[in-house]
Amino acid sequence: MQDAERDTGSAQEPCAEQIEAEAPWFVLLAAGKGTRLAAHTGCAKQFLAYHDRPLYWQSVRTCAATQRFGGLVLVFPPETCEANAAEALALAKEDGLTLPLRFASGGARRQDSVRSGLAMVPDSAAHVLVHDAARPFFSKELVCAMLARLAQGAAAVIPGLAVKDTIKQTAPDGRVLATPERAGLRAVQTPQGFDRGLLQAAHAALNTPENTVTDDASLMEAAGHTVWLLEGEEANVKITTVGDLKPLEEGSMVPCTGWGYDVHRYGGTRPLVLGGVAIESEFTIAAHSDGDVLLHALMDALLGMIGKGDIGELFPDSDPAYDGASSAALLAKVMQLVHEAGVQLTHADVTVIAQKPRLKPWKAAIRTNLASLLGLAESHVNVKATTEEGLGFTGDLSGIKACAAVAGLARQGR
Ligand code: CTP
Ligand code: MG
């Protein structure tokens, strides 16, 4: 298909290493028919709905979150490639992704889809990761570990897990032929990472109609390259049969909650902003960032929900990068972490506690803005305001405080 490259974006922290000039590319395979599941699901598994997005989008998000890739090639079924590409571009826009996307039409076998995806990767890319969209739960950390091994000179690196069962080699009639020693066996996963040029050469030489393989590493092995294994991830399952759908079902999600609290002193130089809305008043805020006490409480609630500490750890006061930082931009980073954690935010309830100013005229605008920042319907955002009857530091007009509670649904055992 035509190269439909565009810039998309991500608000996430990069891995520790610098982005190289010859940045790696990511090839995401979403061109299969999902025959083992289609009768049950009615569509190929990579297009099942997950968190209001097609399932393959979870892999796009994780790839973008690493901030390590020069671009991503999405390989779609030839019949629907154009429509799928248009949808992917629309989703990228909605999610504010800046990762360049290209598209390719898949082939009859997985390896043919890989070859057609590789053809869209620019020659400048030194390394490429090839990934099955049917494995949506790999982590950013796994990707970074693989890129580090490639940067050290490995031609091929794949994640794998020790097998729990004893494996038998059998004949078609059911006779057992051999029992390989279990200790050395590994069940391998994707993404698989390669030297781009060597992988392309291996495909050109060995990807023939007679030679059908189930992963790309086997082509590299056959071409005589050393393939290195690193520790895979238990959560990185391949959705293949009905039993594997469990983690995608709403019913299998477990509720989670978070709570946050923040205080700011009146005085100082920052104008009063609450929930991203500028509030006309005689009060100013003393704060390192933009001093949006409500968004700060909300961010802490979100971080609490996903078990990721607090905003002080994530955006330290001591870092000049956060001087005057827009809390809405910081919230976008926190929301990216929520997505990455596989948690779906379902509700937010916030309270501002201030003797003055009176917040009634601003509550509707704050609610609308919070709903937009959080990607929630307004019916799932609630904004309250109260005084403390003249008591304490809000009562004597020394400052303002806010609390936030959030609820979400998390994948079981994430
Ligand atoms: N894939 C592909 N092109 C193909 C076959 C598979 O891009 N011709 C992709 C699938 O979309 C999936 C990954 O390769 O993300 C792994 O393949 P598999 O799990 O076997 O998926 P399907 O081939 O779609 O499923 P099935 O074998 O049940 O038909
Ligand atoms: Mg298949």
Side-chain angles (χ1 to χ4, degrees), residues 117-130:
L118 284 176
M120 298 304 294
V121 174
D123 289 348
S124 61
H127 301 119
V128 66
L129 260 59
V130 179

Side-chain angles (χ1 to χ4, degrees), residues 99 109 148 164 174 193 238 276 327 352 369:
L99 184 71
R109 300 171 299 173
K164 296 178 194 131
K238 188 169 79 158
S327 294
V352 181
N369 198 46

Side-chain angles (χ1 to χ4, degrees), residues 9-20 23-26 58-72 97 99 129 138-147 191 336 340:
S10 159
Q12 190 41 50
E13 293 298 304
C15 306
E17 296 91 344
Q18 279 285 305
I19 295 175
E20 317 143 39
W25 274 61
F26 195 95
Q58 186 69 17
S59 299
V60 175
R61 273 182 170 156
T62 305
C63 167
T66 65
Q67 291 201 347
R68 293 294 309 280
F69 291 91
L72 182 149
L97 296 186
L99 184 71
L129 260 59
F138 67 106
S139 76
K140 184 173 105 172
E141 288 71 26
L142 176 63
V143 169
C144 292
M146 296 178 66
L147 291 176
Q336 179 70 27
E340 274 174 37

Side-chain angles (χ1 to χ4, degrees), residues 32-36 45 110 238:
K33 291 189 165 43
T35 35
R36 284 169 286 184
K45 54 197 178 183
R110 181 189 179 281
K238 188 169 79 158

